[in-house]
Amino acid sequence: RLSIQEVLKTLAEAVVLVFLVMFLFLQNFRATLIPTIAVPVVLLGTMGVLAAFGFGINTLTMFGMVLAIGLLVDDAVVVTESIQILRDKGLAPLRASVFGASRVFWANNGTTAVAIASFLPLFAMGGDTGKYIVGMPTTVTLALLTSLLVAQFFTPWVATLLAKKRSD
């Protein structure tokens, strides 16, 4: 229980750090809020998929969640930046969201595929170690796939909802 509590604490710290770093670079509270909202959605979705596949929440799956946090915000940040660029050019929120997400669709798919490929060797581990460690790469892989789906479909929706009304 203590190790799970420590991992949960680390998870919360990671989310706060992600928010602060994104705010530092994006310099826009609304734009920072969009990927930050995506983080718990992805984590909850990943836990749901893990439960559907029969995995329990243990130290290794939680470690996979902590590891995935840094990876899973990338897709949402890229989509948010693409949408923000189009909004700055004067496109309406819905149009900017749809076009912005479609502009980076293949780039997000490619980076997700490469990230997942780096964890594939862990699935090939045999013996007792392979049986013990399989929860971590499974968690990261599912988190990355969930992140891709959230970035491409949920993020544009949230960006449309959070868009500022233009006074011009």
Side-chain angles (χ1 to χ4, degrees):
R1 283 180 196 238
L2 186 59
S3 64
I4 293 291
Q5 287 174 348
E6 286 298 315
V7 170
L8 287 173
K9 180 179 147 195
T10 304
L11 203 57
E13 290 170 354
V15 171
V16 169
L17 285 173
V18 163
F19 175 82
L20 292 174
V21 169
M22 286 188 307
F23 185 71
L24 177 71
F25 286 102
L26 294 177
Q27 298 287 315
N28 181 330
F29 181 74
R30 286 178 188 245
T32 303
L33 197 58
I34 296 166
T36 304
I37 291 170
V39 171
V41 171
V42 171
L43 293 177
L44 289 172
T46 302
M47 286 185 193
V49 174
L50 282 171
F53 283 128
F55 284 91
I57 302 300
N58 58 32
T59 306
L60 276 176
T61 55
M62 293 303 288
F63 171 68
M65 293 282 198
V66 171
L67 179 64
I69 285 220
L71 300 170
L72 62 86
V73 295
D74 291 347
D75 295 335
V77 168
V78 169
V79 171
T80 302
E81 287 177 346
S82 178
I83 292 168
Q84 192 63 40
I85 288 168
L86 294 173
R87 287 285 294 140
D88 291 344
K89 290 182 178 180
L91 262 68
L94 181 60
R95 188 173 177 95
S97 294
V98 171
F99 187 59
S102 67
R103 277 179 23 168
V104 295
F105 178 79
W106 290 111
N108 277 345
N109 280 308
T111 58
T112 299
V114 169
I116 289 172
S118 67
F119 287 96
L120 290 179
L122 295 175
F123 287 109
M125 289 181 70
D128 291 336
T129 304
K131 290 177 189 173
Y132 179 70
I133 201 169
V134 74
M136 194 269 297
T138 302
T139 302
V140 174
T141 299
L142 291 173
L144 287 168
L145 290 172
T146 307
S147 170
L148 179 64
L149 290 173
V150 166
Q152 288 303 134
F153 300 107
F154 179 77
T155 300
W157 175 69
V158 173
T160 302
L161 291 177
L162 292 179
K164 266 189 190 176
K165 300 274 191 260
R166 293 205 182 265
S167 58
D168 47 6

